[in-house]
Amino acid sequence: MPLSGKQRRHLRALGHHLTAVVQIGKEGVSDSLVAATEQALLDHELIKVKLGPSAEVGLDTAVAELAQRTSSEVAQVLGKTFLLYRPKPEAPVISLP
């Protein structure tokens, strides 16, 4: 389900104060990083991910691959940080407009 512009704005506002809970490092988008991102999305629905200085993968590649492998939507890309959103399967906490 692609997000509308209004929904992205809402998620960006919610994600503004968040700190990055996942950081992409030297290993890139590895299986363990995907597992950690999956768990973070289950716990929080909206997470901030940061591309670390030692990452050897490009930002665009990392964003696309991580979103695809976790079945999440990209709400924002700002600098080397991006927001991923995936509603909880049962009883989502964040209600989108």
Side-chain angles (χ1 to χ4, degrees), residues 13-54:
L14 292 174
H16 179 73
H17 74 281
L18 297 178
T19 57
V21 293
V22 176
Q23 184 166 348
I24 301 172
K26 186 177 180 180
E27 298 294 319
V29 183
S30 63
D31 291 339
S32 60
L33 181 89
V34 171
T37 304
E38 288 276 355
Q39 187 59 51
L41 285 166
L42 281 174
D43 293 342
H44 304 290
E45 289 186 325
L46 181 67
I47 63 168
K48 193 175 275 189
V49 182
K50 184 173 181 159
L51 186 70
S54 65

Side-chain angles (χ1 to χ4, degrees), residues 60-82:
D60 294 337
T61 304
V63 171
E65 186 175 350
L66 195 56
Q68 188 266 328
R69 288 182 67 183
T70 60
S71 302
S72 59
E73 292 287 331
V74 179
Q76 179 183 33
V77 177
L78 184 63
K80 293 195 177 248
T81 305
F82 56 98

